[in-house]
Amino acid sequence: MPSRRLQQIIPSVATSDGAGVSLRRSLGRAPDARVDPFLMLDEFSSDDPDDYIAGFPSHPHRGFETVTYMLDGHMLHEDHLGNRGDLLPGGAQWMTAGRGIIHSEMPQQESGRLRGFQLWINLPAAEKMKPASYCDIRPGEIPNVALPGGGDVRVIAGRVEVGGVEIAGPVQGITTEPLYMDVRLPAGGSFSHPVAAGHSAVVYAYEGSLAIGDEAEARPLPTQSAGVLDGEGPVAIRAAEGPARFLLLAGRPLREPVVQYGPFVMNTREEIEQALADYRNNRLT
Ligand code: FE2
């Protein structure tokens, strides 16, 4: 089966969120830049504390899941359920907002580099009002697998086969069956991987540039851009010039209406109004 082709490039744009954290947003930079079931992908990366020190003080979410994956630095998550998650380099947190969560995500450093990603994954209509839950994933819980041709893969969610060995990431049992991999390739290195038929696939290049697709028709994906793949086959990715690092995301599309208002993502306008009213009246959670 031919590999999936790079169908659309969503370059990230510089923006800020929280109390003034500088970041780059690719998925979700506009309503037509979502890739069902993925709503948003932010990359934060800075050596300048002014870019991150303000953090994300207490704020609500309803109707989806957030996945934060750290490469460098130290953040602390606290929520209304009493969870405290210490996010360290190479660690992640998987938060299912469900009917409502109120949390903060604050840098625990006053200098040095803070670098990582936050991905928003939609919940099906039937699960948008389920109770919130939170999972702290320590760096050592994320399998790191060497690739036969050089480089390595970390598996945050999903089940993958690398070099004939099946590896399960720490996050399982999510309805959208997300695959979340962090791949590092040496110069000229390549990586191919099956993606379930009918599932969406997105590649986010965060260091170096990539060539995506079968050799003869590979198309370039520049750094700090999300590439949306089409087709039903596997993904085939090559480091185009020098070494490269990228995220590979895949998941089952929900094909349901999406109505977003800031940190609330529901299916209808009425449900958004309900979320706002519930938040105002301290009934979100
Ligand atoms: Fe948040």
Side-chain angles (χ1 to χ4, degrees):
M1 186 183 276
S3 298
R4 294 181 184 225
R5 292 171 313 167
L6 179 58
Q7 177 228 340
Q8 185 194 359
I9 295 174
I10 303 173
S12 63
V13 287
T15 182
S16 84
D17 210 337
V21 177
S22 300
L23 46 82
R24 299 198 67 89
R25 181 162 296 160
S26 49
L27 302 186
R29 54 177 277 182
D32 64 358
R34 300 182 185 118
V35 180
D36 191 9
F38 303 113
L39 299 164
M40 193 186 86
L41 178 64
D42 285 347
E43 175 186 9
F44 46 92
S45 177
S46 180
D47 298 310
D48 179 356
D50 288 346
D51 285 338
Y52 58 74
I53 203 75
F56 300 86
S58 184
H59 61 276
H61 294 287
R62 174 178 277 183
F64 59 101
E65 314 196 64
T66 69
V67 187
T68 308
Y69 174 50
M70 293 289 285
L71 297 176
D72 298 293
H74 185 187
M75 295 254 278
L76 179 69
H77 156 102
E78 290 180 289
D79 64 41
H80 79 279
L81 299 167
N83 295 303
R84 272 174 72 89
D86 224 359
L87 267 147
L88 296 168
Q93 61 169 31
W94 198 286
M95 190 180 81
T96 304
R99 63 165 289 122
I101 197 157
I102 295 171
H103 77 150
S104 62
E105 301 149 297
M106 298 302 291
Q108 302 297 298
Q109 61 192 54
E110 285 168 4
S111 62
R113 174 175 280 199
L114 188 79
R115 187 185 196 197
F117 304 93
Q118 187 168 87
L119 174 70
W120 288 13
I121 308 177
N122 207 0
L123 282 169
E127 294 180 37
K128 282 186 179 288
M129 294 298 279
K130 72 180 183 181
S133 62
Y134 175 81
C135 177
D136 191 23
I137 303 160
R138 316 299 296 171
E141 293 175 72
I142 298 177
N144 190 333
V145 191
L147 290 169
D152 54 66
V153 180
R154 304 189 81 225
V155 185
I156 294 122
R159 217 169 263 280
V160 305
E161 197 187 299
V162 179
V165 182
E166 186 171 278
I167 295 131
V171 179
Q172 303 288 336
I174 310 281
T175 303
T176 47
E177 300 170 58
L179 182 68
Y180 190 145
M181 302 163 86
D182 176 18
V183 184
R184 182 199 309 257
L185 291 178
S190 62
F191 177 72
S192 67
H193 197 272
V195 170
H199 283 209
S200 304
V202 176
V203 177
Y204 183 78
Y206 67 90
E207 273 183 24
S209 58
L210 302 171
I212 296 185
D214 289 325
E215 197 78 33
E217 52 189 35
R219 294 180 59 188
L221 178 67
T223 191
Q224 293 190 304
S225 296
V228 185
L229 278 54
D230 65 5
E232 296 285 301
V235 297
I237 300 165
R238 201 158 37 81
E241 301 157 19
R245 296 177 75 181
F246 62 91
L247 304 180
L248 171 59
L249 311 170
R252 187 163 68 76
L254 294 169
R255 305 190 198 289
E256 292 175 346
V258 174
V259 182
Q260 176 172 3
Y261 183 83
F264 307 123
V265 182
M266 303 301 288
N267 301 111
T268 68
R269 192 75 236 163
E270 292 70 32
E271 289 166 344
I272 290 292
E273 277 158 23
Q274 188 63 53
L276 288 164
D278 287 348
Y279 184 51
R280 265 196 311 270
N281 298 319
N282 293 319
R283 283 204 300 263
L284 187 79
T285 61

